[in-house]
Amino acid sequence: MSFDADLFVIGGGSGGVRAARIAATHGAKVMIAEEYRMGGTCVIRGCVPKKLYVYASRFADDFADAEGFGWTLPQKPVFHWPTLVAAKEKEITRLSAIYGTNLAKAGVEIVQDRAEIVDAHTIALKSDGRRITAKIILVATGATPVLEPAVPGVEHAISSNELFDLPDFPKRLLVIGGGYIAVEFASLFARLSSQVTLAFRADNVLRGFDDDMRNGLRTELQHAGIDILAGTLPTRIEKRADGLHVACSDGQTRVFDQILLATGRRPHTRGLGLEAAGVAMDGVGAIKVDAFSRTNVASIFAVGDVTNRINLTPVAIREGHAFADTQFGGKEVSVDYSHVPTAVFTTPEIGTVGMTETEARRSFNVVDVYQASFRPMKGTLSGRPEKTLMKIIVDGETDQVLGVHILGHEAGEMAQLLGIAVKLKAKKADFDATMAVHPTASEELVTLRTRTARYLRETSGPGAGV
Ligand code: NDP
């Protein structure tokens, strides 16, 4: 049987683009469809614009800190939101074009259209009505924001998709949720001069992160002037002339210009024709795949957030690359999901790799903790009351480092390099044997000699060394 393409990729985001490009370089005839803008969430309305806005926000701290270092600013700096939005737009347009160019250079045919699956080998293009057959179909459609809690008036709230391009800067911003997106946007908008309220249902931010990092970040968010409402959610939203009136579960009503819902993302599978093709999905609509991103339908594969494995851009890229190598490159490659480093781009940042203290104590007989909390050097002259936290979790029986967690400037950069050491199964003794780079914050990681706590499995309290 002959097909129009060897591979048809649905979704021009991080995972889909990588899979398409690598498959084409292996000699496959590849087509990729994108209904919005090439680059996907990460490039267009996720990681990249977010980081640009984080950079913009940090100037606020630099302006405030400058005085302690002898600078006098001639006048109070003024932030102009439309300038930032326009500059961001220019940059992501440039990046999106590069994605297109690189695909074209590799010989991939780009289809600017919505594609839906008709059957195991057929795709329908919604606008031009064409039907295309492919030997293999790869679904890489990512995820979309969950608009919850679904309280009356929730239609007045927005997701991170809209926040980047608001025509008017939100002076009073309510952020709902306590995950990555919530804390990152709360942190950056507070610095861009919004009065930010952060409301979430749990008792603390960033469920699943190390508790000391969660507590430390919460303190830093408060230092940034963010009003934190733990265990509080809206119950009703009403639009009035003076703003959005939000009745909250703590009995109070508060007024905002914008409400950001950052309560998670859901696999983008609705309306794709997956049911008709018989592709199995789980309860949240994620496509079920095996270690080689194969679905239960032999010709259909899926990578990235649409499979709800580890929802991070670099993971989607690896999955896309491994899929292309396996299907078109003649070598079986699967992704290693162990020790995935990650960063939360608040200010200060969280950088982390490996197990939290809680996870380690559940799995190991003896867990040693080495922890430091100190004022970063820059804060000494500026007087900023910020604390850097560093925490190394060690298997007390083998001395292997199980996890490293940092709250501090450039913690994301540190996490990337620590990821290598932890992946190589470095021991605490290897950290200790490494010469410090002075004066840096990260030197603390190789000079932390005194154990803060030792925990024995099944014991609840800290043991020797406390
Ligand atoms: P997260 O899963 O990180 O957080 C979701 C938050 O919403 C949690 O606080 C959760 O509470 C809360 N929540 C979920 N459902 C409800 C509900 N029905 N009512 C009230 N609260 C609710 O999702 P995000 O939206 O922050 O981010 C989406 C994905 O994007 C993440 O999986 C992450 O991997 C990725 N991302 C990564 C970034 C990075 O690497 N720096 C940056 C931004 C996003 P609870 O904790 O109680 O469950």
Side-chain angles (χ1 to χ4, degrees), residues 177-184 198 200 202-218 221 342-346 348-352 356 407:
Y180 278 92
I181 295 181
V183 295
E184 289 182 343
L198 178 64
F200 45 87
D203 61 349
N204 207 352
V205 293
L206 291 181
R207 186 164 51 85
F209 279 72
D210 189 273
D211 284 335
D212 287 304
M213 302 298 128
R214 300 171 76 193
N215 294 332
L217 177 64
R218 184 174 174 159
L221 293 174
T342 175
V344 184
F345 291 101
T346 44
E349 295 172 3
I350 289 180
T352 173
T356 64
L407 172 71

Side-chain angles (χ1 to χ4, degrees), residues 323-383:
F323 154 80
D325 281 346
T326 306
Q327 297 307 317
F328 301 100
K331 51 180 171 184
E332 283 214 327
V333 185
S334 61
V335 175
D336 175 0
Y337 293 95
S338 64
H339 306 116
V340 174
T342 175
V344 184
F345 291 101
T346 44
T347 303
E349 295 172 3
I350 289 180
T352 173
V353 58
M355 289 187 173
T356 64
E357 180 188 310
T358 307
E359 287 166 345
R361 285 171 62 186
R362 257 189 241 126
S363 315
F364 289 83
N365 291 327
V366 186
V367 173
D368 290 339
V369 177
Y370 296 80
Q371 194 163 335
S373 167
F374 56 93
R375 178 181 263 206
M377 198 173 176
K378 198 175 169 191
T380 54
L381 296 196
S382 68

Side-chain angles (χ1 to χ4, degrees), residues 39-326:
T41 300
C42 179
V43 173
I44 306 299
R45 45 195 183 189
C47 334
V48 172
K50 182 270 310 288
K51 188 85 188 274
L52 295 172
Y53 284 17
V54 168
Y55 283 130
S57 75
R58 288 180 180 167
F59 285 99
D61 292 357
D62 288 341
F63 293 135
D65 291 349
E67 206 176 304
F69 291 86
W71 290 93
T72 304
L73 299 177
Q75 58 192 43
K76 194 171 177 289
V78 179
F79 171 66
H80 190 236
W81 170 250
T83 303
L84 176 63
V85 174
K88 176 273 299 178
E89 186 51 38
K90 196 171 162 201
E91 175 60 7
I92 64 166
T93 302
R94 186 184 74 84
L95 292 174
S96 182
I98 289 173
Y99 269 60
T101 310
N102 287 345
L103 283 168
K105 262 194 220 156
V108 176
E109 184 183 336
I110 300 170
V111 181
Q112 189 66 51
D113 204 344
R114 179 174 171 80
E116 290 175 9
I117 296 172
V118 178
D119 62 38
H121 291 286
T122 314
I123 302 284
L125 297 179
K126 292 314 279 180
S127 295
D128 81 359
R130 256 191 307 161
R131 287 196 170 208
I132 290 167
T133 58
K135 187 162 177 244
I136 290 179
I137 296 170
L138 177 70
V139 184
T141 47
T144 48
V146 168
L147 299 179
E148 282 175 6
V151 296
V154 73
E155 66 276 10
H156 301 304
I158 57 172
S159 73
S160 56
N161 286 354
E162 293 79 44
L163 193 63
F164 287 110
D165 296 300
L166 287 176
D168 298 314
F169 182 74
K171 293 200 183 75
R172 299 164 298 177
L173 176 66
L174 171 63
V175 179
I176 300 167
Y180 278 92
I181 295 181
V183 295
E184 289 182 343
F185 279 97
S187 171
L188 82 86
F189 272 91
R191 285 175 169 78
L192 293 179
S193 76
S194 290
Q195 182 54 55
V196 177
T197 300
L198 178 64
F200 45 87
R201 65 182 178 185
D203 61 349
N204 207 352
V205 293
L206 291 181
R207 186 164 51 85
F209 279 72
D210 189 273
D211 284 335
D212 287 304
M213 302 298 128
R214 300 171 76 193
N215 294 332
L217 177 64
R218 184 174 174 159
T219 303
E220 298 302 341
L221 293 174
Q222 280 163 332
H223 283 160
I226 297 165
D227 189 12
I228 295 187
L229 305 177
T232 307
L233 287 178
T235 53
R236 168 179 290 276
I237 301 167
E238 248 181 74
K239 190 172 184 168
R240 296 198 198 158
D242 63 339
L244 299 166
H245 287 237
V246 182
C248 299
S249 54
D250 63 359
Q252 290 199 39
T253 296
R254 299 169 174 88
V255 185
F256 300 95
D257 300 312
Q258 291 289 350
I259 302 166
L260 169 67
L261 291 176
T263 48
R265 295 171 65 85
R266 201 165 278 156
H268 194 179
T269 47
R270 209 170 288 166
L272 268 184
L274 291 159
E275 294 85 353
V279 176
M281 289 178 272
D282 69 10
V284 295
I287 298 177
K288 291 187 188 176
V289 287
D290 69 5
F292 295 97
S293 298
R294 286 187 287 236
T295 71
N296 59 315
V297 177
S299 59
I300 302 181
F301 294 70
V303 295
D305 287 9
V306 77
T307 62
N308 202 20
R309 285 177 276 186
I310 297 181
N311 298 328
L312 295 170
T313 294
V315 176
I317 291 172
R318 284 281 167 98
E319 288 170 355
H321 203 127
F323 154 80
D325 281 346
T326 306

